[in-house]
Amino acid sequence: FYKRDALRDYPVEAADENEGLTIKRMAVANKPINISDDDAFERQGTLMIIYEKVLPHTKTNILLDWEYILNRGSHMRTGAIDESSFFIAYCFPRIAVYDDLEGWDESQYIGQREPYADFGDFVLSVTVPQNYMVWATGTLTNPEEVLNENIYKKFMRAQNGEFLDIISNDDIDKKAITQPKSWNRFRFMANNVPDVAFALSDHYIWNGGSINSSDSAHKVFVSSAYRPDHTDYKEVTNYAKQTIELMSGSFPTIAYPYPHLTIIDGLDQMEFPMIINDNPLEDREETIELVTHEIAHMYLPFYCGTNQTRYAWMDEGWATISEWILSPGLDSSIVDLFGKSRMLLASGSEWDVPLIIPSTEWSRSYSNNSYAKPAYCFYFLREMLGKEMFNKCMQQFSLQWNGKHPVPWDFFNCFNAALGTDLNWYWKAWFYDYGEMDTGIESVKVNGKNLKVTVTLKGNKPVPLYIKLYRKDAVVASYTKSAAVWKNSGRITFTIPDNIKANRLEIKDIMVPDINEQDNSFDILR
């Protein structure tokens, strides 16, 4: 990505451009490959194609030695955080995914679209100078070898359930973090994950502790590492702990799948298996929303292996609805409207394209189609099915596709199968059809002690109707009709009681980005 003259959709400062990742030595099946031989392999942007056959049902060993210069600025998910803190991601040559739909994944990594990766078992060793701590995907397998005795004891207390500062300000001042060696090698192991990343610093507080997983199968070690002066980070471990507990017990009621989670005080807002690179935020609500969003990604894309490059909505839309639902669980005063303004801005524009079009073909529609639009689809579907049934569908999808590579049609079919109901009308409207969220009141007629109401779905996206009756300026009654009312028709008529003789009816709600609210209010004439 940082190679000079590389194709990118994000700018890079000239000082961060370099020669990119340099292959020093390479062998396949123990046979050395001459890296100066143009017939042995081909470079195509961020792809290297090696001309070696690997037959089905066989194994081969690939050896690669490489090096590259880490970026100091232009922080795109990876690089230097400050003078002695770093978040390291996408740092090794990986084998492209070979799946049964597309064959070899030949997508370029140019910045905005996140890479698609395959599952594997990883052993990672990181060698650092004295008093540098390392956090990574996977379990630290040699803590006693690398940690100062006092830090090790606190680490073990945290592993057993106590929440505390494993590395405190005092430890940093004393420079008593690791074993007193010039260099320490931290070793990590992670199984059945699509990627690994790591971070290191010699001046970060490390706070953490452990909770029991909801399936009682293992403990989950939850921690955060941050600069002492970033006081907003003091609650991040607690936010992460609460999020994991809510995801396990309330939404989507699936046990957190990994042995740990660490959130690093960095310069981005980016997730990797078991480790997150999150910038500090002054606003407490925004911090909570960011934590819940990024932890949701541990399920999608990582647990289920979705293709972030081609179907970005599958994980970002999921993380966005998770943020909307979980954040108020941490603070009931939060009304999370992330993406609503973006949705209203994009709706009906020439770049507002259907979700089923691969995200590799999106440009201006990327943010809207990745985050807000699919999240609204899921949010309204959850209201239509009910919370328990929606969770059941997500459970079936997650468990069935763990460690695999589901595509949109697998997602749709899992919901249909779990429900025993054909939702294709809903999927078609939200994923295949053009259109916006736009409903309008056609008429309201007084019929004795009832109101006969006719509403039209003008924008083609099935949304719930949040109906409010007003007497003068006060809401005196409210009703909800789920998006299911639009299954067979774009025009519906229904009757609601009106014992209090309302003078106005509205179908507005803060969670519905209706592009034209002028026809969402109707004055009742008597």
Side-chain angles (χ1 to χ4, degrees):
F1 181 77
Y2 291 96
K3 187 177 181 180
R4 195 169 288 107
D5 299 326
L7 179 64
R8 291 184 290 263
D9 58 11
Y10 268 73
V12 166
E13 296 169 18
D16 285 310
E17 292 189 312
N18 52 53
E19 296 307 310
L21 187 146
T22 302
I23 302 291
K24 309 294 288 185
R25 183 166 62 109
M26 180 164 55
V28 176
N30 301 319
K31 183 181 74 174
I33 292 180
N34 184 355
I35 58 177
S36 62
D37 182 1
D38 291 340
D39 293 328
F41 65 90
E42 180 182 352
R43 281 267 181 121
Q44 293 182 358
T46 56
L47 293 175
M48 169 187 269
I49 301 171
I50 303 172
Y51 299 113
E52 290 286 333
K53 292 181 180 178
V54 181
L55 296 176
H57 309 294
T58 65
K59 297 180 180 181
T60 193
N61 292 320
I62 299 176
L63 170 72
L64 284 161
D65 284 350
W66 73 95
E67 65 183 26
Y68 70 97
I69 304 299
L70 187 68
N71 54 300
R72 287 184 176 273
S74 310
H75 194 101
M76 183 64 177
R77 305 180 179 127
T78 185
I81 300 170
D82 59 33
E83 71 283 353
S84 57
S85 304
F86 310 88
F87 195 99
I88 315 295
Y90 309 152
C91 59
F92 59 94
R94 73 176 76 214
I95 307 300
V97 178
Y98 186 91
D99 67 29
D100 57 355
L101 291 181
E102 301 295 329
W104 289 110
D105 174 45
E106 297 184 358
S107 303
Q108 298 284 334
Y109 176 61
I110 59 175
Q112 185 177 51
R113 292 184 294 272
E114 297 163 39
Y116 182 32
D118 220 340
F119 289 86
D121 297 335
F122 291 85
V123 177
L124 171 70
S125 296
V126 184
T127 305
V128 292
Q130 183 178 352
N131 288 321
Y132 272 82
M133 180 64 204
V134 181
W135 303 270
T137 298
T139 301
L140 177 61
T141 60
N142 65 332
E144 198 167 6
E145 289 180 21
V146 294
L147 298 179
N148 173 281
E149 182 180 0
N150 178 50
I151 303 298
Y152 173 73
K153 287 178 180 178
K154 289 194 285 182
F155 174 68
M156 295 310 297
R157 283 162 56 192
Q159 292 288 314
N160 290 327
E162 183 180 349
F163 279 81
L164 72 160
D165 283 344
I166 304 165
I167 296 175
S168 66
N169 243 328
D170 189 49
D171 298 316
I172 295 168
D173 291 340
K174 290 179 179 177
K175 298 187 181 299
I177 297 170
T178 66
Q179 289 285 341
K181 306 173 188 174
S182 297
W183 297 87
N184 286 284
R185 177 170 292 181
F186 288 73
R187 302 178 189 275
F188 301 88
M189 182 174 290
N191 295 324
N192 200 36
V193 293
D195 199 2
V196 290
F198 64 96
L200 58 148
S201 179
D202 65 351
H203 60 274
Y204 269 25
I205 290 173
W206 184 21
N207 176 270
S210 296
I211 58 176
N212 291 320
S213 68
S214 61
D215 59 4
S216 301
H218 62 277
K219 283 185 177 292
V220 180
F221 175 62
V222 186
S223 73
S224 61
Y226 58 95
R227 279 176 46 158
D229 59 330
H230 288 172
T231 54
D232 61 299
Y233 245 90
K234 287 185 177 181
E235 289 296 317
V236 165
T237 299
N238 184 44
Y239 298 153
K241 170 182 174 291
Q242 291 184 69
T243 299
I244 290 173
E245 290 171 340
L246 282 171
M247 296 199 79
S248 300
S250 177
F251 174 84
T253 60
I254 301 171
Y256 181 77
Y258 301 117
H260 82 85
L261 173 78
T262 300
I263 302 180
I264 303 295
D265 177 356
L267 296 176
D268 214 307
Q269 298 184 353
M270 186 64 198
E271 71 287 345
F272 302 87
M274 299 180 237
I275 188 167
I276 294 169
N277 177 4
D278 271 356
N279 61 297
L281 296 167
E282 292 184 6
D283 186 277
R284 178 176 177 273
E285 289 187 8
E286 289 184 2
T287 300
I288 290 173
E289 291 162 4
L290 179 59
V291 167
T292 56
H293 183 104
E294 302 302 348
I295 293 178
H297 280 303
M298 299 301 127
Y299 295 83
L300 292 173
F302 302 135
Y303 186 66
C304 291
T306 55
N307 186 339
Q308 299 179 96
T309 310
R310 191 171 177 85
Y311 310 114
W313 62 263
M314 292 188 76
D315 65 290
E316 294 297 356
W318 158 253
T320 300
I321 183 185
S322 298
E323 173 189 332
W324 291 348
I325 292 170
L326 296 170
S327 296
L330 275 66
D331 182 341
S332 59
S333 69
I334 292 177
V335 180
D336 192 337
L337 299 176
F338 171 69
K340 182 179 180 180
S341 58
R342 182 186 296 158
M343 188 78 205
L344 287 168
L345 179 66
S347 291
S349 66
E350 62 182 356
W351 65 86
D352 184 17
V353 298
L355 286 167
I356 204 65
I357 294 174
S359 44
T360 51
E361 312 309 311
W362 302 341
S363 180
R364 292 182 69 180
S365 61
Y366 184 86
S367 292
N368 189 55
N369 272 13
S370 297
Y371 296 85
K373 191 191 294 186
Y376 280 111
C377 168
F378 301 153
Y379 189 85
F380 299 146
L381 180 62
R382 181 173 179 259
E383 290 201 341
M384 186 169 76
L385 302 181
K387 297 175 183 179
E388 188 173 321
M389 185 55 70
F390 185 88
N391 284 352
K392 177 185 174 183
C393 294
M394 282 305 304
Q395 290 162 8
Q396 179 158 325
F397 173 70
S398 299
L399 296 175
Q400 181 172 332
W401 288 98
N402 167 229
K404 302 173 186 175
H405 295 300
V407 293
W409 304 275
D410 301 315
F411 181 84
F412 304 151
N413 289 334
C414 263
F415 268 69
N416 288 356
L419 289 167
T421 302
D422 186 348
L423 283 174
N424 287 349
W425 67 273
Y426 190 82
W427 305 129
K428 179 180 181 295
W430 273 100
F431 288 89
Y432 286 84
D433 295 343
Y434 283 87
E436 305 81 46
M437 283 180 263
D438 186 13
T439 56
I441 302 171
E442 187 175 300
S443 64
V444 179
K445 297 178 181 178
V446 179
N447 184 9
K449 292 186 177 181
N450 298 316
L451 295 176
K452 185 178 181 181
V453 184
T454 299
V455 179
T456 303
L457 182 66
K458 302 169 70 176
N460 200 40
K461 295 289 181 258
V463 298
L465 295 178
Y466 300 101
I467 305 156
K468 297 182 181 68
L469 294 180
Y470 287 81
R471 182 68 181 171
K472 296 183 179 178
D473 291 326
V475 177
V476 291
S478 59
Y479 308 91
T480 300
K481 291 188 176 296
S482 79
V485 297
W486 307 113
K487 180 178 180 180
N488 298 313
S489 175
R491 182 176 182 270
I492 60 168
T493 298
F494 55 88
T495 299
I496 56 175
D498 180 31
N499 298 320
I500 36 67
K501 295 184 178 180
N503 66 306
R504 189 167 87 256
L505 181 145
E506 285 187 355
I507 54 172
K508 299 177 183 180
D509 189 82
I510 196 170
M511 285 307 297
V512 182
D514 192 298
I515 63 168
N516 177 21
E517 291 192 336
Q518 299 301 312
D519 55 6
N520 287 11
S521 181
F522 198 97
D523 292 329
I524 302 169
L525 301 178
R526 296 183 180 275

